[in-house]
Amino acid sequence: MTLIRQLGNQDEFVGFYLLKSLEIKQTNSTPPKDYLDMMLCDASGELPAKLWDASPTDKETFFPMGLVKVKGLVQTYREKLQVKILQIRPAKAEDGVKLTDFIRSAPISSVELVQTIRNVVNGIADDEIREIVRFCVGKVEEKLEHAPAAKTHHHAYFGGLAYHMVRMLELGDFLCNQRPFLNADLLKAGIILHDIAKPEEMVAQLGIVSEYSVQGRLVGHIAMASNWITEAAVRLGFGLESPKVLSLQHLVLSHHNLGEWGSPVQPQMAEAVALHFIDAIDAKLQMVEDALNTTPETEEWTPLIRGLENKAVYRTKLQG
């Protein structure tokens, strides 16, 4: 079977894929015609796909998170690859394919990642900070093993949120060793808490986000996490005016840096400055890594990466 990352322009292929998303849309023609706008994916990547002239049967047959067998042609549209579907049918039991075979996941076991996070929480020396973090993690602990960090931007796969946290914790350790003026307990806590409400912000199955939850739309993960810190302080008997409680809230509320990016305040603590840039560097490098890993090796340039101001990345090939 041909993996998505192996597909290039004008390739005709046949294979099994997961329908990550599906919408019924209409063409701009007169009269308009229905078509299915899909996202095909496997463990190697994803590609948008179109089934033109969709019939009433097609519209009742295919649904998101279903496995399908596709015969398609890869084409370039506005400098991006997409698939023109020539034939498509739902996968059958006798095909011997499993949903989990098509799910992209973090390169490290999610069980191992969550255990690493637990170990870091247990290693926070300050009792007040440690107990607040433990309380907040406990709210999503069952979802943490499979939750993605985002719908599309970065770490958008099974275990992506835990992988994002652990990679950030590694960067945080390096910075605390390099710059001892940073409070290690606060920075570790900020890294773990900054996206801790993501599993409640998004509705996800096997790491694939189908939509944002009501809480996610009306409140958002930043405000939700800040509320959890307040709840933890009240339940644990810590004063809401405590410098540690306020510091944790500030870390969460400022980590996106700007109001237009979702933060009501800008970083005004050393640890908050560090958290923002650790988050940014891990997210943006992951976008680059994902783009390189899901672009055929024959292609010198990746597709445009939205999180990098719609820039493409060149695949560097230096020979000694």
Side-chain angles (χ1 to χ4, degrees), residues 1-21:
M1 187 180 75
T2 306
L3 295 175
I4 282 179
R5 69 163 298 184
Q6 297 171 328
L7 295 173
N9 188 38
Q10 296 303 309
D11 283 348
E12 190 169 313
F13 67 95
V14 176
F16 290 95
Y17 303 96
L18 174 66
L19 274 182
K20 182 176 180 180
S21 63

Side-chain angles (χ1 to χ4, degrees), residues 22-38 50-54 59 77:
L22 181 151
E23 288 185 76
I24 300 172
K25 295 185 177 180
Q26 289 190 322
T27 63
N28 294 323
S29 60
T30 304
K33 296 181 179 180
D34 290 342
Y35 69 94
L36 300 186
D37 188 14
M38 307 175 175
K50 304 287 190 292
L51 177 63
W52 302 108
D53 297 327
K59 290 182 283 185
Y77 177 69

Side-chain angles (χ1 to χ4, degrees), residues 2-8 11 17 42-47 81 290-299 315:
T2 306
L3 295 175
I4 282 179
R5 69 163 298 184
Q6 297 171 328
L7 295 173
D11 283 348
Y17 303 96
D42 61 17
S44 75
E46 61 186 38
L47 270 180
L81 296 178
D290 290 346
L292 290 170
N293 286 342
T294 56
T295 301
E297 294 185 1
T298 54
E299 299 287 333
R315 190 186 298 276

Side-chain angles (χ1 to χ4, degrees), residues 20-315:
K20 182 176 180 180
S21 63
L22 181 151
E23 288 185 76
I24 300 172
K25 295 185 177 180
Q26 289 190 322
T27 63
N28 294 323
S29 60
T30 304
K33 296 181 179 180
D34 290 342
Y35 69 94
L36 300 186
D37 188 14
M38 307 175 175
M39 184 66 74
L40 300 177
C41 77
D42 61 17
S44 75
E46 61 186 38
L47 270 180
K50 304 287 190 292
L51 177 63
W52 302 108
D53 297 327
S55 69
T57 301
D58 291 329
K59 290 182 283 185
E60 295 175 359
T61 300
F62 302 105
F63 300 93
M65 297 303 292
L67 294 177
V68 292
K69 185 176 184 180
V70 172
K71 178 180 180 181
L73 173 66
V74 182
Q75 300 174 323
T76 300
Y77 177 69
R78 292 181 179 176
E79 300 184 16
K80 293 185 178 181
L81 296 178
Q82 71 172 25
V83 174
K84 178 183 179 181
I85 295 177
L86 306 176
Q87 295 178 17
I88 184 172
R89 69 163 174 83
K92 304 174 183 177
E94 54 265 34
D95 292 325
V97 292
K98 299 181 296 183
L99 183 63
T100 51
D101 294 336
F102 296 84
I103 298 298
R104 188 169 170 229
S105 60
I108 299 173
S109 159
S110 56
V111 174
E112 181 180 340
L113 291 168
V114 172
Q115 187 56 54
T116 298
I117 293 168
R118 288 196 193 103
N119 292 342
V120 172
V121 174
N122 293 334
I124 293 175
D126 187 279
D127 293 341
E128 188 172 335
I129 294 174
R130 182 181 64 251
E131 293 311 307
I132 290 174
V133 175
R134 184 174 286 156
F135 176 91
C136 294
V137 171
K139 280 184 167 286
V140 295
E141 198 153 9
E142 292 183 358
K143 297 182 178 181
L144 199 51
E145 284 189 6
H146 58 79
K151 185 175 182 180
T152 56
H153 246 30
H154 66 91
H155 301 88
Y157 44 74
F158 188 95
L161 177 57
Y163 183 57
H164 179 43
M165 286 183 186
V166 169
R167 286 290 177 250
M168 287 179 65
L169 287 167
E170 292 169 350
L171 292 171
D173 277 344
F174 170 80
L175 283 181
C176 286
N177 287 329
Q178 185 192 63
R179 300 181 183 274
F181 73 89
L182 292 169
N183 183 295
D185 281 350
L186 274 181
L187 186 54
K188 290 174 186 175
I191 288 170
I192 294 170
L193 295 180
H194 83 289
D195 279 348
I196 196 65
K198 284 284 186 80
E200 298 299 326
E201 181 181 50
M202 301 176 290
V203 178
Q205 180 184 357
L206 295 174
I208 295 175
V209 178
S210 57
E211 60 182 339
Y212 286 90
S213 67
V214 174
Q215 285 189 81
R217 291 183 179 188
L218 296 182
V219 181
H221 74 279
I222 291 178
M224 288 165 66
S226 179
N227 290 343
W228 292 358
I229 293 168
T230 300
E231 182 185 352
V234 170
R235 293 200 178 194
L236 296 169
F238 304 136
L240 296 182
E241 73 288 348
S242 161
K244 295 170 186 176
V245 173
L246 291 173
S247 294
L248 293 177
Q249 288 176 318
H250 179 71
L251 285 162
V252 167
L253 292 171
S254 66
H255 80 270
H256 278 185
N257 187 43
L258 298 175
E260 54 265 40
W261 296 346
S263 277
V265 291
Q266 289 184 279
Q268 295 169 74
M269 293 166 38
E271 294 76 16
V273 173
L275 173 61
H276 167 65
F277 285 105
I278 291 170
D279 186 27
I281 194 170
D282 186 62
K284 290 181 183 296
L285 283 178
Q286 194 64 50
M287 293 174 199
V288 173
E289 183 178 350
D290 290 346
L292 290 170
N293 286 342
T294 56
T295 301
E297 294 185 1
T298 54
E299 299 287 333
E300 288 188 331
W301 291 90
T302 70
L304 302 179
I305 302 172
R306 182 182 171 194
L308 293 181
E309 292 75 46
N310 277 326
K311 293 184 178 68
V313 171
Y314 181 70
R315 190 186 298 276

